[in-house]
């Protein structure tokens, strides 16, 4: 007994110290914020007018619950190229670049994942891209030599990786929970394709149904994180879109997207986390590139190539 107790204590102290070192004194990360984990969820292609712009919030009952625990930004934009890969590139690298939208072209500049892995020295599995569209594989890498094929996030995308096609959002949702549970990644991007794919199929009912389906996934993901002892109270959660869709009086309306109309540009941003206000609505204008700088400030690393700005209501202290 005498020998077991001191060893148990030693183990406890060692583990506590290891944990502290990990979180507080990692020399590559410098942050005084509570959040040590970030999850970004991107819902592909719903229009603002069909989510928050609809006064009754008919298709987003779970987002309504979410914003009671966080901040809704009502003047958020895709201010660059309103397609899936360029929109995600703006979110993850903080740059506007009209990269090929079929997954044939890497972003030029490094992403939040690459800068985070470089600064922290953590293993690649701490950054995860979990996406329904396989073409988002390119978000794990970039072109410039200093970062090409370095510090790449792990990807779980499409049916079976790049060039194997899109998968159902229900699979992406299940895989995300599995990856949270098995690997506890620190910076995660989750992508749901539903509203965009249904829109392109000219399926109005399917489009609305998939806004509703993914709305539930958002709430279930947040609930999962709040029930997990690693993530609870230490995770910042962002919900946004890569782009909207045309206004009804513009081109083919909800079916397509890709230009400068308000429907394509106006998107949503919701932010929840231990460092953020609750039940707040912010109408100051921000855009996708600002997410990268904000996450960098939150977790304590630099995004030197990002053209975004820090979101004052989230990290302006
Ligand atoms: Zn599309
Ligand atoms: Zn448009």
């Amino acid at each position: 007994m005498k020998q077991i107790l001191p060893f148990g204590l030693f183990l406890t102290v060692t583990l506590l110290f290891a944990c502290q070192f990990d979180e507080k004194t990692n020399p590559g990360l410098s942050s005084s914020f509570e959040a040590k984990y970030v999850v970004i969820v991107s819902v592909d292609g719903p229009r603002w007018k069909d989510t928050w712009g609809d006064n009754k919030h008919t298709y987003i009952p779970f987002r309504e619950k979410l914003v009671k625990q966080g901040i809704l930004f009502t003047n958020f934009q895709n201010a660059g190229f309103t397609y899936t890969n360029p929109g995600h590139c703006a979110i993850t690298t903080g740059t506007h670049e009209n990269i090929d939208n079929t997954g044939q072209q890497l972003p030029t500049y490094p992403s939040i994942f690459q800068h985070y892995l470089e600064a922290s020295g953590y293993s690649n599995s701490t950054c995860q891209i979990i996406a329904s569209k396989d073409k988002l594989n390119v978000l794990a890498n970039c072109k410039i030599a200093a970062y090409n094929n370095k510090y790449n996030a792990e990807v779980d995308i499409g049916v079976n990786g790049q060039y194997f096609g899109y998968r159902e959002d229900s699979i992406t949702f299940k895989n995300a929970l599995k990856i949270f549970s098995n690997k506890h990644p620190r910076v995660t991007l989750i992508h749901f394709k539903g509203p965009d794919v249904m829109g392109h199929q000219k399926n109005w009912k399917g489009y609305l149904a998939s806004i509703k389906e993914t709305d539930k996934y958002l709430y279930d993901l947040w609930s999962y994180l709040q029930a997990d002892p690693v993530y609870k109270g230490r995770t910042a959660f962002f919900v946004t879109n890569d782009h909207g869709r045309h206004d009804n009086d513009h081109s083919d309306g909800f079916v397509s997207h890709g230009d400068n109309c308000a429907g394509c540009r106006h998107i949503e941003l919701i932010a929840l986390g231990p460092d953020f206000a609750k039940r707040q609505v912010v109408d100051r204008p921000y855009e996708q590139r600002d997410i990268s700088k904000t996450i960098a400030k939150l977790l304590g690393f630099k995004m030197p190539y990002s053209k975004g700005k820090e979101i004052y209501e989230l990290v302006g202290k």
Side-chain angles (χ1 to χ4, degrees), residues 44-45 82-84 101 133 135 166 193 195-197 199-200 242-245 255-258:
D44 197 321
T82 55
Y83 292 100
T84 293
N101 196 36
K133 290 184 174 178
K135 65 183 184 178
Y166 297 178
K193 68 169 187 176
D196 186 65
V197 167
H200 289 301
D242 48 354
H243 54 75
R245 322 191 75 69
V255 175
S256 305
H257 56 87

Side-chain angles (χ1 to χ4, degrees), residues 102-303:
T102 64
Q104 307 296 314
Q105 186 186 353
L106 296 177
T108 300
Y109 298 105
S111 65
I112 42 176
F113 310 109
Q114 292 179 290
H115 283 299
Y116 180 79
L117 288 172
E118 180 189 31
S120 67
Y122 293 143
S123 71
N124 298 48
S125 68
T126 58
C127 288
Q128 295 281 336
I129 298 169
I130 307 163
S132 294
K133 290 184 174 178
D134 56 331
K135 65 183 184 178
L136 290 176
N137 195 44
V138 296
L139 299 176
N141 205 354
C142 73
K143 278 197 229 161
I144 61 168
Y147 290 89
N148 183 248
N149 294 328
K150 288 184 192 132
Y151 313 116
N152 302 132
E154 286 189 354
V155 291
D156 178 282
I157 53 158
V159 173
N160 191 19
Q162 191 165 15
Y163 307 121
F164 285 89
Y166 297 178
R167 70 183 175 203
E168 293 306 312
D169 287 334
S170 57
I171 309 283
T172 295
F173 172 70
K174 273 187 214 147
N175 287 12
L177 294 188
K178 218 183 294 170
I179 290 167
F180 282 149
S181 157
N182 293 343
K183 301 187 176 182
H184 284 100
R186 289 164 177 272
V187 185
T188 304
L189 171 70
I190 299 170
H191 160 268
F192 294 121
K193 68 169 187 176
D196 186 65
V197 167
M198 288 294 164
H200 289 301
Q201 290 175 5
K202 306 181 182 167
N203 182 344
W204 176 247
K205 278 190 180 160
Y207 164 71
L208 296 177
S210 63
I211 291 178
K212 218 170 166 181
E213 178 194 348
T214 48
D215 182 60
K216 175 81 162 57
Y217 293 152
L218 300 175
Y219 189 75
D220 289 348
L221 286 169
W222 173 249
S223 303
Y224 178 91
L225 296 169
Q226 294 314 297
D228 181 301
V230 174
Y231 287 119
K232 183 181 164 59
R234 308 158 84 205
T235 304
F237 188 74
F238 298 87
V239 176
T240 191
N241 319 116
D242 48 354
H243 54 75
R245 322 191 75 69
H246 297 314
D247 292 321
N248 286 348
D249 57 0
H250 195 85
S251 184
D252 56 1
F254 84 101
V255 175
S256 305
H257 56 87
D259 63 10
N260 297 321
C261 82
C264 285
R265 292 226 175 278
H266 194 179
I267 55 174
E268 64 186 321
L269 178 67
I270 305 169
L272 288 78
D275 305 287
F276 307 154
K278 293 182 168 53
R279 292 176 178 271
Q280 201 177 56
V281 177
V282 172
D283 63 4
R284 189 183 298 200
Y286 288 105
E287 57 126 321
Q288 287 170 323
R289 294 183 298 183
D290 303 335
I291 292 175
S292 60
K293 278 275 175 152
T294 301
I295 289 173
K297 175 87 179 281
L298 200 59
L299 297 182
F301 62 97
K302 299 271 187 272
M303 287 287 297

